[in-house]
Amino acid sequence: MKIDSLKLQNFRNYEELSLEFSPGTNLFYGENAQGKTNILEAVYVCGTTKSHRTSKDREMIRFGENESHLQMMMRKGDVSWRVDLLLRAGRAKGIAVNMVPVRRAAELIGLGHFILFSPEDLSIIKDGPAGRRRFLDMELCQLDKVYVSALTSYNKVLEQRGKLLKTLSTDRRDMETLDVWDEQMVRYGSMIIRIRESFVQMLNEIIRPIHEKLSGGREHLSVRYEKNVEADAYASALEDGRQRDLYLCSTMTGPHRDDLVFLSDEVDLRHYGSQGQQRSAALSLKLAEIELVKKKAGDSPVLLLDDVLSELDAGRQQALLESIGDIQTFITCTGIEEYVRSGFHIDRRFHVQSGHVQPEPSNIPDPVL
């Protein structure tokens, strides 16, 4: 899959922007806070309908405006697709594929696959479980339509059950309604757990050799799926914890409390790993994502690297750059010197300054270091 072009209107700090990309490596450089990350965010939003920076569409709309329009042209083989998104303050997104409105974001699943790597991802190992659950959800939502449906339904049920628990804390007349929500939670939650189990098993097969290569064979990485509850025991566990949930006015059992544990030779890296080990594991995870998409979807993903190389040492930089191969890649950075030193090939460069993007000729010479 390749992205051919992107058009933005009133998105973040861009009033109007139209860009055409190389099918190889596209590099956006300039000082901080000029709008480089906004371009990668726009590509990611067009591909997944979700931002990696915010859950509120309002924050992506240019200040002073009420709507934002994004248009992306993408290509798989000889087939082209046009994706349009309309962001509206306080209203649901408008989505169209090839000019045909779609009712659900899930209908975009399978059109393309996007892997975003930012400095924040380097902390995924040591930070709290929410980020690791988000990794599971974002990756699986691009690979599995059943997972998207189950997760969407589960989150709605979880929200409604939470509201009911608060009501029941003062008025127990609707207790029988809790049984209805519990039945649906078990139905959708069990699907989520089983799909996650299968995914983590496949992830382990891929990430171990990647990490061994990255560590020079010194470390052996594995990922353990730490389930809050087993799928087969979900119904009974939910029933057993009902009084606790009523007391706390919150659902304490279910896959919304799952976690991933990263182990290096059976040592928990979150608690006992060095910063270098944690960063290596995070990098291995991203490299494994690339291979997962190729294996499960039979397609090459689009790789979005948001100022991440500056956070990696030379060895990890090289490992990441070598993994790109024929994958279309979008990179943001403050300067291009680090890429020149490594001899990394850049197909197209864009200079970003104060919300203006200037494409540079493909034959422009690299700076002399």
Side-chain angles (χ1 to χ4, degrees):
M1 183 195 71
K2 308 292 182 184
I3 307 301
D4 289 328
S5 64
L6 177 71
K7 292 183 179 180
L8 305 178
Q9 183 179 43
N10 294 327
F11 181 83
R12 294 286 189 182
N13 66 328
Y14 293 105
E15 183 178 4
E16 297 278 351
L17 181 65
S18 181
L19 296 173
E20 294 184 356
F21 305 121
S22 163
T25 301
N26 301 271
L27 186 140
F28 301 84
Y29 74 97
E31 298 299 320
N32 290 325
Q34 303 301 303
K36 303 186 300 296
T37 295
N38 297 341
I39 297 170
L40 267 61
E41 180 184 29
V43 171
Y44 196 72
V45 170
C46 284
T48 66
T49 75
K50 297 182 183 298
S51 167
H52 67 292
R53 302 161 76 189
T54 179
S55 60
K56 299 177 181 178
D57 288 353
R58 167 75 268 181
E59 296 180 5
M60 292 185 283
I61 300 173
R62 191 167 182 261
F63 183 76
E65 303 292 338
N66 294 317
E67 294 184 351
S68 176
H69 183 215
L70 299 82
Q71 179 193 117
M72 186 170 75
M73 295 298 299
M74 51 193 286
R75 178 170 36 88
K76 297 180 74 172
D78 297 327
V79 181
S80 294
W81 301 85
R82 170 175 165 171
V83 176
D84 287 90
L85 263 69
L86 181 63
L87 309 181
R88 299 170 287 195
R91 299 174 61 187
K93 292 181 183 73
I95 306 171
V97 177
N98 288 343
M99 306 293 287
V100 178
V102 298
R103 296 176 58 188
R104 298 179 303 136
E107 295 183 49
L108 284 178
I109 300 300
L111 282 186
H113 301 88
F114 299 78
I115 295 174
L116 189 140
F117 194 10
S118 69
E120 290 76 21
D121 290 316
L122 290 169
S123 301
I124 191 173
I125 309 298
K126 68 176 182 180
D127 287 348
R132 292 183 287 277
R133 285 195 298 270
R134 187 175 184 277
F135 157 74
L136 280 172
D137 290 339
M138 292 302 293
E139 188 62 33
L140 280 167
C141 281
Q142 292 192 67
L143 294 172
D144 194 323
K145 289 187 177 183
V146 174
Y147 188 85
V148 177
S149 177
L151 183 66
T152 301
S153 298
Y154 179 84
N155 286 335
K156 289 179 180 178
V157 173
L158 181 64
E159 181 181 2
Q160 292 301 318
R161 189 179 191 267
K163 291 178 179 178
L164 179 60
L165 288 170
K166 291 176 182 177
T167 300
L168 293 175
S169 66
T170 56
D171 184 353
R172 297 295 179 97
R173 285 179 294 180
D174 291 331
M175 278 294 293
E176 68 277 3
T177 308
L178 197 55
D179 294 331
V180 177
W181 292 121
D182 285 6
E183 182 180 344
Q184 293 188 53
M185 281 200 70
V186 172
R187 176 186 175 188
Y188 298 119
S190 297
M191 293 171 64
I192 291 171
I193 294 167
R194 292 192 173 101
I195 294 173
R196 285 179 178 178
E197 284 177 332
S198 177
F199 175 80
V200 173
Q201 182 178 357
M202 184 182 297
L203 175 62
N204 269 307
E205 294 172 0
I206 293 172
I207 201 171
R208 186 180 178 93
I210 288 174
H211 193 75
E212 286 179 353
K213 181 179 178 181
L214 190 62
S215 66
R218 295 185 302 273
E219 297 179 4
H220 306 90
L221 184 68
S222 61
V223 185
R224 186 175 70 217
Y225 176 26
E226 200 165 78
K227 297 183 286 290
N228 175 263
V229 63
E230 295 287 344
D232 294 338
Y234 196 178
S236 59
L238 200 58
E239 184 178 356
D240 291 344
R242 176 173 289 191
Q243 292 306 313
R244 176 193 58 189
D245 289 354
L246 286 166
Y247 176 75
L248 296 173
C249 298
S250 180
T251 303
M252 304 301 290
T253 304
H256 61 289
R257 295 186 174 275
D258 284 349
D259 198 0
L260 292 178
V261 178
F262 291 80
L263 304 165
S264 177
D265 297 309
E266 301 306 314
V267 174
D268 186 341
L269 291 180
R270 180 184 180 188
H271 298 293
Y272 304 107
S274 67
Q275 184 184 64
Q277 287 177 309
Q278 292 171 347
R279 289 191 163 206
S280 290
L283 177 56
S284 294
L285 182 63
K286 284 298 172 180
L287 298 181
E289 276 190 76
I290 296 172
E291 297 306 314
L292 270 167
V293 170
K294 290 180 177 180
K295 182 175 181 179
K296 193 170 176 62
D299 189 19
S300 293
V302 170
L303 184 60
L304 309 170
L305 304 179
D306 187 16
D307 198 26
V308 75
L309 282 197
S310 61
E311 301 292 327
L312 298 172
D313 61 26
R316 296 186 182 96
Q317 283 184 13
Q318 197 63 32
L320 179 55
L321 295 176
E322 287 176 355
S323 73
I324 291 174
D326 60 351
I327 297 173
Q328 187 181 31
T329 305
F330 296 77
I331 301 173
T332 66
C333 62
T334 54
I336 62 175
E337 293 81 6
E338 57 200 307
Y339 298 92
V340 175
R341 287 194 195 95
S342 66
F344 182 65
H345 179 72
I346 300 168
D347 294 289
R348 194 156 196 208
R349 299 203 303 238
F350 302 82
H351 185 223
V352 183
Q353 186 174 20
S354 302
H356 297 280
V357 182
Q358 182 62 48
E360 296 183 343
S362 58
N363 60 350
I364 189 171
D366 290 327
V368 178
L369 301 180

